[in-house]
Structures are given as C-alpha cells and as structure tokens.
C-alpha cells in the first residue's frame, strides 16, 4: 500500500512539472521573451548614463521692486544622469534653469549654482548632477521713481516765410521708473519726432510717444500732447525814436523783434519812450501790437 501511494505521488509530481514546463511551451517562451524585452526597455538591464547639455538658458528670478543690471552668465552647461532613452530625448531649447534671488539684498553678489538651489523640469529617472560654471556674478539695484521734464523732438522745416516760435507740452513733467544709478543723472526725456514740414500755422500733436533709449528706464506716462506754435518769420529792426527830456529833443535807439509784416509797417512815431529813470527806459507799443512784438533793447542818447 505504501509503495502504491509513493508511485501515485511521483506521477502527480511528474504531471505537475510536465504541465509547467512542457505543455504550451511555445506560448510560454514567447511571454518570457516579451517580459525580458520589456525589462530591458525600461532600463532593468541598463546602467545609468551621463550626458552634458550645453548652452541651457539661465533665468534669474527677483522681486518686482528690484532690477538685475548685469549677470556674468546667461547660459550654463548641465551634467545629467539617468535612463539613456529619456536623456537622449532631452532638447536644450526645452530646458530652463531658474535661480531664485528673492532673498538677496541690492548690491554686487557672487552666487553658487548647484542642483540643490536651482529649479529645472526634468523627466522622472533623470537627475541633475552638476552645473557649469558653478558660480556667477550679478548686480541687483532697487527701483526708484523720478519726475523729469519732457522735451519735444522736432524735425522738418515750416513753409516758406514761416518759423517755429515755440511749443508747450502736456504734461510738462512725467515720472520715470528705473534702477537708482540710471535715473539719478536723467533730468529730461525726449518725445518721438514730430514733423513740421511745410506747416504755416500752429497745431496740436496728440499722443506723442516718449523716446527712452535705455530699456531699463520706463516712463509711467505712455505719451504726451505737444502744441507747436508756428507763425510768420520774424526779423529784428532798429528804430530811432525821438523823445523830449528837459525841453531838449533826444533820440532813443530801440531794437524790436517781430513778424516781418508787422515790423516793416511800423514807424518811429508809432512808438513812445517812457523814461521815468535814465537807467530803466521802456517803450510803449500801440495797443494792437501788444504781445506781438518783442522789445530787444532800448538805448538812450
């Protein structure tokens, strides 16, 4: 009986082994090959590889009330390790190394670039090992505001026998914002060019942009209005104006500056000398010429 049970157990074990290893063996062999291939594909049999990625963009993040004036490095080289398939798919253009400067004070600084103090998006299975160069120099400055005057930039020539008398700007002054070392020496900003070619009368130029060359300086007003005063060309003319002093007839030499049509028709007798003191003589103009003629000088003889 004992021998029978032993033979029975031996047959059962054989059947089990045959079922595992011999039945449907082509299907099982195929499954084993696929499993091995998958393992190799995901790196089960691969050792990690290292690769240098050159000229990756370096981005420095800083507070809004600060400005980065210069940085000794704008691109860095990376040493990464990990799965070869994933590393081979990395493209320099898709990577950005970010260094946070939020806790730094204004001034010149030498900063360390290391995997633990930068931020970069890498696929799982890929690790940043080293950054080259490992140190960079930067200068941070606090942003300030300053009020400066606006000066129109004018080009062209008015029509024949006309000239530009002057201009008024609205607003006359604006605020600019920039690093303190930059705006300290700025007292004015210019506008974009305003053309006055062949103009024969005054006009308003609205919404004229400001021409700030330095990209670090930002005007807080986007534009201004400029009123340009154009009139007849002016000339200077000398008049010998008679006047009386203590019963004696004398002559004052008066220099006037005015539009040609006004001054050419003016006669010495149209002018009067007001001489309360010898040192401060003045000329009295006809009412219709008030504020139209500039008195350059008055000399008494």
């Amino acid at each position: 009986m004992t021998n029978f049970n032993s033979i029975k157990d031996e047959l059962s074990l054989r059947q089990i082994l045959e079922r595992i290893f011999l039945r449907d063996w082509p299907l099982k062999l195929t499954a084993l090959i696929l499993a091995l291939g998958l393992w190799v594909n995901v790196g089960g049999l691969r050792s990690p590889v290292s690769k240098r990625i050159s000229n990756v963009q370096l981005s420095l993040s800083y507070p809004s009330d600060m400005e980065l004036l210069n940085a000794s490095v704008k691109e860095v080289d990376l040493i990464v390790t990990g799965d070869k398939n994933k590393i081979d798919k990395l493209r320099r253009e898709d990577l950005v190394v970010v260094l946070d400067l939020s806790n730094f004070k204004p001034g010149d600084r030498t900063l360390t670039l290391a995997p633990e103090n930068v931020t970069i998006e890498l696929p799982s299975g890929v690790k940043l090992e080293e950054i080259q160069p490992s140190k960079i120099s930067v200068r941070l400055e606090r942003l300030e505001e300053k009020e400066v005057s606006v000066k129109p930039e004018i080009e062209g020539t008015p029509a024949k026998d006309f000239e530009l008398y002057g201009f008024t700007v609205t607003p006359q002054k604006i605020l600019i914002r920039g690093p303190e070392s930059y705006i300290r020496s700025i007292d004015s900003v210019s506008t974009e060019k305003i053309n006055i070619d062949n103009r024969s009368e005054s006009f308003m130029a609205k919404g004229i942009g400001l021409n700030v060359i330095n990209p670090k300086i930002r005007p807080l007003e986007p534009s201004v209005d400029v009123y340009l005063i154009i009139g007849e060309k002016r000339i200077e003319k000398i008049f010998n104006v008679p006047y009386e002093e203590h019963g004696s007839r004398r002559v004052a030499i008066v220099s006037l500056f005015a539009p040609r049509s006004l001054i050419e028709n003016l006669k010495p007798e149209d002018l009067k000398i007001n001489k309360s003191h010898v040192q401060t003589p003045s000329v009295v103009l006809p009412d219709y010429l008030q504020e139209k003629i500039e008195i350059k000088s008055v000399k008494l003889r």
Side-chain angles (χ1 to χ4, degrees), residues 14-298:
R14 183 184 300 173
Q15 289 172 350
I16 291 171
L17 292 175
E18 285 179 353
R19 184 174 296 175
I20 294 174
F21 293 105
L22 298 179
R23 292 183 183 179
D24 301 324
W25 67 267
L27 181 61
K28 292 176 180 177
L29 180 61
T30 302
L32 178 62
I33 293 173
L34 289 175
L36 288 173
L38 181 61
W39 186 31
V40 170
N41 237 5
V42 298
L45 296 180
R46 294 173 184 257
S47 298
V49 299
S50 295
K51 182 179 179 180
R52 173 188 288 268
I53 305 175
S54 300
N55 303 323
V56 175
Q57 179 187 349
L58 174 63
S59 176
L60 303 177
S61 174
Y62 45 88
S64 59
D65 62 345
M66 305 270 275
E67 181 67 39
L68 180 69
L69 292 190
N70 68 313
S72 60
V73 174
K74 295 183 179 179
E75 293 181 341
V76 293
D77 293 353
L78 308 180
I79 307 297
V80 295
T81 59
D83 177 72
K84 184 177 186 303
N85 285 338
K86 293 182 178 180
I87 287 179
D88 287 343
K89 293 177 182 178
L90 289 178
R91 298 173 65 249
R92 174 184 65 85
E93 297 82 4
D94 299 331
L95 300 175
V96 178
V97 177
V98 180
L99 179 63
D100 188 5
L101 306 181
S102 299
N103 296 323
F104 287 86
K105 294 182 179 180
D108 294 307
R109 297 283 181 270
T110 299
L111 309 177
T112 299
L113 296 177
E116 59 269 17
N117 67 357
V118 301
T119 303
I120 183 172
E121 291 188 7
L122 293 172
S124 61
V126 177
K127 181 182 178 182
L128 175 61
E129 294 288 349
E130 186 181 348
I131 306 174
Q132 298 175 353
S134 60
K135 292 185 181 296
I136 63 168
S137 298
V138 301
R139 179 175 179 80
L140 284 171
E141 274 196 18
R142 198 169 300 282
L143 292 173
E144 291 188 354
E145 293 181 3
K146 182 180 180 181
E147 189 177 58
V148 296
S149 59
V150 180
K151 295 183 177 179
E153 188 75 21
I154 298 167
E155 65 177 356
T157 305
K160 184 180 179 182
D161 296 329
F162 287 85
E163 65 175 319
L164 176 67
Y165 288 3
F167 49 77
T168 58
V169 183
T170 306
Q172 294 181 343
K173 293 187 175 183
I174 64 162
L175 283 175
I176 60 173
R177 180 178 172 88
E180 54 186 353
S181 65
Y182 280 58
I183 68 173
R184 192 179 299 138
S185 60
I186 299 177
D187 297 317
S188 65
V189 295
S190 62
T191 67
E192 294 176 353
K193 291 184 177 180
I194 305 171
N195 194 298
I196 60 171
D197 257 345
N198 296 316
R199 293 277 189 169
S200 59
E201 56 185 24
S202 303
F203 69 99
M204 175 71 80
K206 286 186 168 290
I208 304 301
L210 298 167
N211 184 24
V212 180
I213 298 175
N214 193 321
K216 299 288 186 184
I217 303 296
R218 185 170 65 90
L220 300 188
E221 289 279 350
S223 62
V224 296
D225 296 338
V226 182
Y227 183 65
L228 296 111
I229 306 166
I230 296 175
E232 185 184 357
K233 191 168 287 186
R234 294 165 294 181
I235 61 172
E236 186 173 351
K237 187 175 180 180
I238 305 296
F239 293 85
N240 293 323
V241 182
Y243 72 98
E244 287 192 5
E245 184 181 27
H246 306 304
S248 300
R249 188 175 179 83
R250 295 180 177 276
V251 174
I253 302 174
V254 179
S255 175
L256 301 180
F257 185 64
R260 182 183 295 274
S261 61
L262 291 180
I263 209 166
E264 284 185 342
N265 295 323
L266 195 62
K267 299 177 181 178
E269 51 266 32
D270 296 327
L271 307 174
K272 293 183 180 180
I273 300 297
N274 182 11
K275 182 183 167 298
S276 56
H277 299 284
V278 175
Q279 293 82 4
T280 58
S282 61
V283 177
V284 180
L285 298 170
D287 291 341
Y288 72 95
L289 294 180
Q290 296 291 335
E291 300 181 359
K292 295 181 179 179
I293 292 181
E294 178 184 352
I295 301 170
K296 287 282 194 180
S297 64
V298 181

